[in-house]
Amino acid sequence: DTGVSQDPRHKITKRGQNVTFRCDPISEHNRLYWYRQTLGQGPEFLTYFQNEAQLEKSRLLSDRFSAERPKGSFSTLEIQRTEQGDSAMYLCASSPRGLAGALNEQFFGPGTRLTVL
Amino acid sequence: GQNIDQPTEMTATEGAIVQINCTYQTSGFNGLFWYQQHAGEAPTFLSYNVLDGLEEKGRFSSFLSRSKGYSYLLLKELQMKDSASYLCAPLGGSYIPTFGRGTSLIVHP
C-alpha cells in the first residue's frame, strides 16, 4: 500500500496524559499537513511541513501541541496534558509540491481517533 | 480571514441530479477543491478548479466563478453510495486549503 498511513488508528487516554501520533506520507510527497476534525465539521488546519521545515501553524494550535518531521519523511504530532476538548479525529495528508495546479491535491490518511476521558 | 458557506444537508433521489453550492472568501486564491467524505473515513479528492468554468469528470462536475467567489459540485445519476459529506475547500495564498463544514448528502431510493 503506497497511500498515507497513520498510527495508531484509535487512542483512548486519560485527561492530562501525553499522546503522540505518527504519519507516514506518500514517499515522493514533500508537503505534509495535519488537520483535526470533529463531528459535523470539516477538517481544521493545524500545521504543515515542506520537507523537514514547519512552515505554518494555525493560531488555534496551543502550546500543548507540537509537530515534527525530522528527516522530511514521517511526521509526529504530540499533544501534551490532553484535555477532553482534544477529542477528535486527527488527519494527516500529503501532497506532491507547493505549486499551482492539480499537484496540490492532498491525499489523506485514515486518521487517528483520539478520545480523552 | 477565510469564510466558506455551503448547505448543511441535502437530500435527493437515486438517479437524480443534485447541485451543491459553495461560496467563499479567501486571502488570495489558488484554486478550489471538492472532497467526498464517507462517515468515519478520510476525505477523498473529487475535483480541482483554478480557472473559471466547468470541469467534468464522469458523473461529477465542478464549476468555478472566481469573480463571484462561487463554486458548485454537480452530481448526476445519483447512486446510493454517493450518500456522503461533500467538502468545499478553497486554496488560499499560502496553498493551504480551508475546508468548509461540508454538505451531508442523503440519497434515498
Side-chain angles (χ1 to χ4, degrees):
Chain A
D1 192 327
T2 57
V4 179
S5 62
Q6 293 186 245
D7 182 69
R9 296 290 305 276
H10 303 274
K11 179 69 177 179
I12 300 173
T13 191
K14 293 182 179 179
R15 190 178 52 176
Q17 298 295 305
N18 299 344
V19 293
T20 300
F21 309 141
R22 176 178 170 127
C23 171
D24 286 88
I26 294 172
S27 59
E28 62 268 25
H29 288 183
N30 67 348
R31 276 200 165 197
L32 186 149
Y33 306 78
W34 284 100
Y35 292 88
R36 176 173 62 192
Q37 187 175 26
T38 54
L39 195 64
Q41 303 293 321
E44 175 186 46
F45 170 75
L46 294 178
T47 188
Y48 91 91
F49 294 83
Q50 181 150 313
N51 299 313
E52 66 275 10
Q54 188 174 19
L55 296 186
E56 191 158 336
K57 290 173 61 174
S58 167
R59 290 172 295 176
L60 302 172
L61 206 64
S62 78
D63 291 343
R64 298 184 297 105
F65 288 69
S66 62
E68 294 183 343
R69 194 182 184 196
K71 298 182 179 178
S73 56
F74 74 92
S75 176
T76 57
L77 177 69
E78 180 183 17
I79 309 173
Q80 297 181 326
R81 305 181 302 282
T82 53
E83 302 173 355
Q84 287 184 325
D86 298 331
S87 294
M89 175 74 84
Y90 289 84
L91 293 165
C92 175
S94 69
S95 68
R97 54 179 190 261
L99 297 175
L103 293 173
N104 283 307
E105 173 189 343
Q106 295 190 337
F107 296 81
F108 282 85
T112 295
R113 182 168 296 284
L114 173 66
T115 302
V116 182
L117 302 176
Chain B
Q2 321 232 58
N3 187 38
I4 301 157
D5 190 35
Q6 52 181 129
T8 303
E9 187 175 293
M10 299 182 71
T11 59
T13 306
E14 194 175 13
I17 299 173
V18 70
Q19 178 175 313
I20 302 174
N21 296 322
C22 172
T23 57
Y24 63 88
Q25 293 175 313
T26 59
S27 300
F29 182 76
N30 285 293
L32 186 142
F33 290 112
W34 282 95
Y35 278 81
Q36 180 191 60
Q37 187 175 27
H38 285 99
E41 299 181 11
T44 55
F45 171 81
L46 288 178
S47 69
Y48 173 73
N49 295 66
V50 66
L51 299 175
D52 290 351
L54 187 68
E55 295 276 344
E56 297 187 74
K57 188 187 294 185
R59 294 189 299 114
F60 293 2
S61 303
S62 56
F63 172 84
L64 176 68
S65 170
R66 290 172 295 173
S67 63
K68 295 181 180 178
Y70 168 68
S71 175
Y72 68 73
L73 181 69
L74 191 71
L75 293 78
K76 303 176 185 175
E77 301 168 16
L78 281 173
Q79 303 175 9
M80 298 296 289
K81 68 178 182 179
D82 296 329
S83 293
S85 182
Y86 291 86
L87 302 165
C88 171
L91 203 63
S94 61
Y95 293 96
I96 298 172
T98 301
F99 287 84
R101 296 180 63 176
T103 298
S104 178
L105 175 65
I106 301 168
V107 180
H108 55 84

